Amino acid sequence: MGATDPEKLVVVIDFDLNLDGTFSSPPQVVNDEQIELSEDPFWALARQAALDAVMNCEPYDFFSAKTYESWKEIRLNFSPAEMGGR
Amino acid sequence: MKKLLIILLTAIAAAATPAFARVTIDITQGNVDPMPVAAPNFLGADEATQGLGRDITGVIMNDLDRSGLFQVIDQRAYIEKPESVNQRPRFADWRIINAQVLIVGEVEELSDGRIQVSTRLWDVYSDEQLGAVAFKTPADNWRRAAHKVADFVYKTLTGEDGYFDTRIVFVHETGPKEKRVKRLMIMDQDGANPIPLTDGLNYQVLTPRFSPTQQQITYMALFDNRPGQVYLFNIETGEQEQLGTFRGMTFAPRFSPDGREVLMSMERSGNSDIFNMDLSTRRLTRLTDNPAVDVSPTMAPDGRRVAFTSDRGGAPQIYTMNADGSNQKRITFGQGSYQTPVWSPRGDLIAFTRQYQGRFYIGVVRPDGTGERLLTESFLDEGPTWSPNGRVLMFYRQTPTRRDGSGGDTQLWSVDLTGRNLRRVRTPGDASDPAWSPLLP
């Protein structure tokens, strides 16, 4: 929103799920170090927003238990480029 | 960057990949639901400060709500009643009503008669304090303190400067159409405290524009007996000063971003060109020299480029040039006409009024001419002005009541860059030509 190059502010989050859709390990920001080093306040906000979103959605109980093997480990690439305000 | 409140992950099921691999999903569309915010009335030790606390909270809630980025949760839903600004909230009580952020504040009367407004901002999900701020101010200045708190909340949660502690200058219109009195008025950004600046009796005021650095405006004044001219007006002293005397009409003035120059159009024997006046020397520099009508100059915040309207290609379209007038090029090519370009204070966009097949649109385009987006449409939308953070546009809209386009009223409206948050701005009577101030010092 405030950043002039939002397409660069990608946040990558890994998380693992139990069969009931709860986290089996806390979500990890894969590119956390890169975000820290950049000292870009918009990127830090994007990271917080992405983490909040992932946390808010737990439990991920809308998947079928039959396909558990296919969704027990998830990686989300948040790419703000096309999100509102621009 | 907004908080994503809901992610739709149902795509995962469809995208089921071979077992044992980490599913990778790209999220490129956010749900831009406003962020739920709770703001209990600011506390006070006695009746007077409690009353001020209620008023201040009301102003903050209204600012945040109108921005479209926040949804203020109804106070009746609150479970915890905070007793002190220094007490740690019971976060569970706020999570249960789905608040994401909690604003707690307090008003104290100081021994010198002023008040202190203290505020803490809490992230309800992470149980953390996001920030704290305190302002001291005379009690009758409480509205500005409230706007400053709202700007603090906005900046903490979005990462960019707010725009609530700002003012709007506009043309206040009264009387019948053929004998319209147009005078200059100023008010707070939220419509409070409207004050007339000119009486509108001896001359009419058009196209007021704020100085980016001072409490000063420039506008065109129209007198009965001579061509319209560009003036400077000092808001604090009420002094008016003519910017040079010219045989032709000068109009559509706008300050340069450093406040040292005024760009304007001058009309001589039917031809308009763009000039730049240095305010310290009053010297005029010609920037365009073209038999077509060149009007409405606006300078980029870095002072290097100027956008303007020209009909040299037929219909009026937007062009840009270097600040010295060189390297002129056309940037819009759509059907209809484009007028009144206004460069965003952020530099990344130029707002404009577009007219096409009898309808008016407020839109934005990148300075290189790509990415045009229309944000509003109506019978008559005109005169966009940017909030100082480049996130909201205010403009005026005429809503006719008769089929021939007459009747009805002219009002100020605002819309943000998503085009989704269109709001009417409260004014006393009819209003046009708004100009948004910079953030107040």
Side-chain angles (χ1 to χ4, degrees):
Chain A
M1 189 173 75
T4 39
D5 296 313
E7 60 280 359
K8 292 180 189 150
L9 308 183
V10 172
V11 179
V12 183
I13 297 181
D14 278 358
F15 56 98
D16 301 342
L17 296 174
N18 298 312
L19 196 55
D20 64 359
T22 57
F23 294 128
S24 60
S25 67
Q28 301 287 326
V29 178
V30 178
N31 56 340
D32 197 52
E33 197 176 352
Q34 191 188 6
I35 296 170
E36 278 305 313
L37 289 174
S38 76
E39 295 182 5
D40 181 335
F42 293 110
W43 209 351
L45 271 171
R47 173 181 58 188
Q48 190 57 45
L51 264 178
D52 279 357
V54 170
M55 302 289 248
N56 288 355
C57 288
E58 192 202 16
Y60 293 76
D61 55 2
F62 40 81
F63 300 129
S64 161
K66 284 183 204 153
T67 56
Y68 176 59
E69 285 301 321
S70 70
W71 53 260
K72 67 177 183 179
E73 294 175 345
I74 293 178
R75 165 166 294 186
L76 295 181
N77 295 322
F78 287 84
S79 168
E82 292 161 47
M83 293 184 192
R86 304 292 305 175
Chain B
M1 182 64 208
K2 293 181 193 77
K3 303 253 175 173
L4 306 169
L5 299 184
I6 299 163
I7 315 173
L8 298 173
L9 285 181
T10 39
I12 289 181
T17 51
F20 312 117
R22 189 173 281 280
V23 185
T24 301
I25 298 149
D26 292 328
I27 299 188
T28 57
Q29 290 287 325
N31 183 330
V32 289
D33 282 352
M35 187 192 299
V37 170
N41 284 336
F42 278 32
L43 303 159
D46 53 32
E47 228 169 86
T49 47
Q50 281 165 8
L52 272 177
R54 267 195 303 278
D55 292 343
I56 286 173
T57 312
V59 168
I60 296 169
M61 288 168 117
N62 182 52
D63 279 349
L64 296 178
D65 176 64
R66 289 182 61 87
S67 76
L69 301 182
F70 306 97
Q71 176 228 332
V72 181
I73 300 169
D74 191 326
Q75 289 186 334
R76 283 171 298 188
Y78 302 174
I79 301 163
E80 186 186 17
K81 307 273 176 249
E83 281 162 17
S84 156
V85 73
N86 296 318
Q87 169 196 326
R88 212 176 152 73
R90 288 198 308 269
F91 292 107
D93 284 1
W94 299 102
R95 273 196 289 271
I96 212 165
I97 61 165
N98 292 320
Q100 210 162 340
V101 169
L102 170 64
I103 306 165
V104 183
E106 185 173 60
V107 183
E108 285 169 275
E109 201 177 337
L110 302 173
S111 52
D112 61 6
R114 293 185 302 164
I115 54 166
Q116 173 165 322
V117 181
S118 312
T119 308
R120 282 182 198 277
L121 196 58
W122 299 92
D123 183 331
V124 172
Y125 277 91
S126 64
D127 300 7
E128 279 172 20
Q129 180 176 305
L130 293 168
V133 74
F135 299 107
K136 291 175 188 168
T137 179
D140 60 4
N141 202 27
W142 62 270
R143 291 195 77 96
R144 275 200 67 191
H147 291 310
K148 281 184 178 297
V149 171
D151 279 330
F152 157 75
V153 172
Y154 187 99
K155 178 154 194 181
T156 308
L157 298 177
T158 69
E160 65 187 30
D161 285 333
Y163 54 85
F164 303 124
D165 188 23
T166 54
R167 296 197 282 180
I168 309 289
V169 154
F170 61 97
V171 175
H172 180 240
E173 302 189 16
T174 47
K177 207 160 201 169
E178 57 284 356
K179 246 191 111 177
R180 205 76 165 152
V181 176
K182 296 189 174 189
R183 60 183 185 174
L184 208 54
M185 260 191 152
I186 191 165
M187 64 181 187
D188 296 350
Q189 150 278 133
D190 61 354
N193 298 325
I195 301 165
L197 294 176
T198 62
D199 61 16
L201 297 178
N202 300 317
Y203 58 94
Q204 311 259 15
V205 169
L206 297 170
T207 64
R209 313 292 183 212
F210 248 101
S211 161
T213 54
Q214 298 176 56
Q215 293 294 308
Q216 207 173 38
I217 37 186
T218 179
Y219 52 75
M220 178 203 189
L222 265 181
F223 296 81
D224 284 341
N225 52 358
R226 52 192 151 118
Q229 297 284 333
V230 169
Y231 283 78
L232 281 183
F233 184 89
N234 186 311
I235 295 171
E236 265 144 41
T237 64
E239 269 169 49
Q240 181 182 254
E241 181 191 355
Q242 188 171 343
L243 269 187
T245 317
F246 306 103
R247 240 182 309 145
M249 177 172 74
T250 52
F251 59 103
R254 215 179 269 281
F255 284 96
S256 63
D258 63 8
R260 290 186 196 157
E261 298 160 337
V262 169
L263 296 153
M264 62 178 91
S265 314
M266 192 189 313
E267 192 243 76
R268 265 184 211 155
S269 36
N271 178 35
S272 296
D273 277 308
I274 290 167
F275 293 80
N276 189 358
M277 179 180 277
D278 184 318
L279 287 179
S280 57
T281 63
R282 299 292 156 109
R283 256 192 54 198
L284 211 55
T285 310
R286 174 189 282 272
L287 299 184
T288 68
D289 192 357
N290 193 296
V293 174
D294 296 338
V295 292
S296 304
T298 172
M299 200 177 260
D302 66 5
R304 294 161 81 160
R305 301 278 295 168
V306 172
F308 61 101
T309 301
S310 177
D311 68 355
R312 59 185 71 174
Q317 294 277 345
I318 299 172
Y319 292 71
T320 60
M321 62 185 168
N322 290 342
D324 64 1
S326 62
N327 192 16
Q328 299 185 7
K329 59 181 174 201
R330 179 169 164 181
I331 63 161
T332 59
F333 294 88
Q335 289 182 294
S337 68
Y338 292 74
Q339 316 248 18
T340 55
V342 197
W343 216 303
S344 157
R346 218 155 72 185
D348 55 344
L349 293 169
I350 295 171
F352 55 79
T353 304
R354 183 171 172 189
Q355 194 182 1
Y356 177 57
Q357 291 190 337
R359 302 288 289 175
F360 280 76
Y361 307 81
I362 303 292
V364 292
V365 65
R366 292 197 195 103
D368 65 1
T370 63
E372 176 179 330
R373 284 191 297 136
L374 300 176
L375 304 175
T376 73
E377 177 196 349
S378 89
F379 172 78
L380 180 66
D381 281 355
E382 257 189 311
T385 179
W386 289 96
S387 65
N389 67 353
R391 158 95 205 151
V392 182
L393 285 162
M394 197 177 287
F395 58 96
Y396 69 96
R397 168 172 288 182
Q398 189 194 334
T399 314
T401 47
R402 296 188 206 107
R403 215 176 278 169
D404 64 357
S406 65
D409 54 8
T410 307
Q411 297 291 344
L412 304 188
W413 291 73
S414 69
V415 68
D416 69 20
L417 280 182
T418 65
R420 272 174 272 185
N421 185 31
L422 181 69
R423 307 268 180 145
R424 166 107 185 261
V425 181
R426 185 164 52 104
T427 52
D430 276 17
S432 61
D433 266 341
W436 211 317
S437 83
L439 266 182
L440 295 177

